[in-house]
Amino acid sequence: RSRMVRYEPSMASLPFNGTLFQECFVVMSGLSISKRLYAGFGWMLVLMAVLGGWNLVQNGRLSGTLQRLVAEDALRASLANDMQIAVQDMVLVLGNLARAQDPAQALVLQKGFAEAERTYLARKRALLAVPVTASEGDRSWDVSTQAMLKVEEGALPVFRQMAALGGTTDPETLRDFYDTQLLGPMTTWKERLAQMRVATTESMTRAAQASVRSMAVAQVLTVSLIAAALAGGGLVAVLISRSITVPLRRAAVLAEAVAQGDLSGEPPVIQRHDEVGVLLQALGQMQRSLRRLVGEILQCADSIRTASAEVAVGNVDLSQRTETTDSNLQATASSLDRLTGTVRGTAAAAQE
């Protein structure tokens, strides 16, 4: 038959035997089933909220990086290209100016130079207005830009000087000025502009690579958070399940023992106050009541057995007395018969 045992939270039945999990199991055992379920669902909602918040943060960072990539680096690349075109236009105008023979043509070329210079300066102001961050790409771009501006400080006055000489100086002198004084600064300036464009392209490449790395890190962290959420949810589910199913199995053992008539076991010691604890208390009280009732019935049966034995002894004594009385009556009847015969004989003798 099933034997009863004292009910206590079973630590050995837990999937983890650490102190923290034991404490969690004991705490859960003191909560009602509804509160445990609310706590489990609440934990899952918190994990989902954390996961969603993390995704929002990472998406915001990636969005900011992409926005910077498009809004800043692309703008820098466009402005640097416009500056290079403007410098190329100034060089082309000055080359035509060195070959111009007509003062009127030289005046038109000077106006074209002024227009190209204004375009260059406007693009430079816009380029310098783009904010610079502390990233490696921005630092590289800033270095190349400062190098270009340093070359510009020496080259642009030479460009202006040659443009001012147009129309007032003979073409041979202008060509000589172009070859001896303008060609070197012009070449260096164009090289620095090309380097600045390369730095802008590299900055865009680095930003794109950083975005890819950030996306990979975000994916890894997202997967890690999902795994942690699943592990935490599984652990909470196991704890809640064990805190419900273990005492229910205890209750089933107790009910089965009572159903088979085994009331010899000790009722469980209840250390919880949830619905299962109430059930175990009721089953324990039922076992105690049945044991007390059976004890009372046994006492009554003993009393009845003793009374029955006494009645049986009385019946035997009465039977013996009845047999003695019957023998006495038979002897008396025999004596009466003899007495009757003697009286009849005496009466007959008297008549004769």
Side-chain angles (χ1 to χ4, degrees), residues 137 140-141 144 194-204 206:
S140 176
W141 176 86
S144 63
Q195 291 176 0
M196 188 176 67
R197 287 190 61 187
V198 171
T200 303
T201 303
E202 291 178 351
S203 177
M204 293 178 65
R206 289 192 184 97

Side-chain angles (χ1 to χ4, degrees), residues 9 18 30 47 71 98 109 137 145 175 180-182 190 227 260 266 284 288 306 349:
L47 289 178
L109 292 173
T145 301
R175 284 194 295 273
T180 59
Q181 300 189 38
L182 185 67
K190 292 173 67 175
Q260 293 177 357
E266 291 293 329
R288 287 188 292 270
T306 302

Side-chain angles (χ1 to χ4, degrees), residues 3 30 39-40 45 55 62 89 91 118 120 133 153 166 169 193 214 246 265 328 352:
R3 304 295 299 176
L45 290 176
N55 283 329
L62 291 176
D89 290 342
V91 171
R118 283 193 297 270
Y120 171 82
T133 63
E153 291 177 358
T169 306
L193 284 170
S214 299
V246 170
N328 294 331
E352 292 178 356

Side-chain angles (χ1 to χ4, degrees), residues 84 87 144 147-148 151 183-199:
Q84 194 171 15
V87 171
S144 63
M148 186 276 299
V151 172
L183 187 60
M186 177 194 69
T187 302
T188 305
W189 195 7
K190 292 173 67 175
E191 290 177 353
R192 294 294 183 271
L193 284 170
Q195 291 176 0
M196 188 176 67
R197 287 190 61 187
V198 171

Side-chain angles (χ1 to χ4, degrees), residues 22 30 54 76 119 138 145 170 172-173 213 233 237 239 261 282 296 313:
Q22 293 179 2
W54 176 260
R76 287 174 185 167
T119 301
D138 279 7
T145 301
D170 60 279
E172 184 67 25
T173 303
R213 288 194 298 269
L239 289 175
E296 293 175 355
V313 172

Side-chain angles (χ1 to χ4, degrees), residues 305-334:
R305 184 168 55 251
T306 302
S308 298
E310 293 176 354
V311 170
V313 172
N315 289 334
V316 172
D317 183 63
L318 179 61
S319 176
Q320 292 175 352
R321 292 179 181 181
T322 302
E323 290 178 356
T324 302
T325 304
D326 182 60
S327 299
N328 294 331
L329 290 175
Q330 288 179 358
T332 302
S334 178

